[in-house]
Amino acid sequence: HGDLDTRLHDEHKGLDRLIAPLVYYSAILGREIVVPIGFITDYASVPRIIGAYLLFGGRGKRASVIHDWLYSGGIKGISREIADKIFLEALEATGYYAATRWPMYLGVRLGGWVAWSKPNVPQTPKVEALMEAA
C-alpha cells in the first residue's frame, strides 16, 4: 500500500503521471501489483452526472490507478471481473466505506466494458513497453 506520488500531466484532460511506483498487495492475486513510474492516469472515470460526480468524483485515487493499470493490460491473463474485484478490494484497503465502495464497483462492472484491455489514456513508449512485457 504505497503512497500515490504524481505530477500533473495534462490539466485540461485531468491527467496525472506517476513519479514513483505505486505498489499494492492484492490478496485476490496473492502478489504485489506495481504500477510503474511514468504511468499516466485519469483516475476514476465518474460520469459527469451531477449526483454521481458529487458523491464519487475524486475518491479512490490509489485504487483507481491500480484499476487503470489492470485495464490497460499491466498484468496479462487476468479477466475484467478480477480487475474489478481488485478495485473493490483496493477501495476497502484504502479505507472507503461500503456506501462508497459498492457503487463505484457497480459502476465499473456496468460501464467498464467500454475501456477494457486498452490503455485508459495514451502512454509513453517506456510504459507501453512495460505493458507489452507484462
Side-chain angles (χ1 to χ4, degrees):
H1 297 85
D3 290 331
L4 178 59
D5 198 355
T6 63
R7 182 162 293 142
L8 182 64
H9 180 75
D10 186 321
E11 183 171 359
H12 299 286
K13 294 181 181 176
L15 303 176
D16 284 349
R17 178 178 36 86
L18 268 66
I19 58 173
L22 177 61
V23 180
Y24 172 71
Y25 179 82
S26 169
I28 292 170
L29 288 183
R31 62 174 268 207
E32 281 187 342
I33 298 169
V34 180
V35 184
I37 293 171
F39 183 71
I40 300 167
T41 183
D42 62 357
Y43 301 108
S45 301
V46 177
R48 295 302 192 245
I49 301 167
I50 291 176
Y53 194 76
L54 287 176
L55 290 172
F56 305 109
R59 299 191 193 291
K61 288 186 174 185
R62 285 184 287 179
S64 295
V65 171
I66 298 294
H67 194 247
D68 282 353
W69 175 245
L70 296 174
Y71 262 51
S72 297
I75 297 178
K76 301 287 187 236
I78 68 166
S79 67
R80 183 176 151 247
E81 180 180 9
I82 294 299
D84 293 347
K85 285 182 179 179
I86 292 169
F87 177 60
L88 179 63
E89 173 191 54
L91 285 168
E92 183 174 13
T94 52
Y96 286 92
Y97 293 111
T100 299
R101 288 192 315 263
W102 283 99
M104 290 180 76
Y105 170 74
L106 292 173
V108 298
R109 288 306 301 149
L110 293 173
W113 63 271
V114 174
W116 174 245
S117 80
K118 56 187 167 200
N120 61 322
V121 296
Q123 298 295 325
T124 65
K126 183 177 179 180
V127 171
E128 285 180 1
L130 289 170
M131 290 188 307
E132 288 295 321

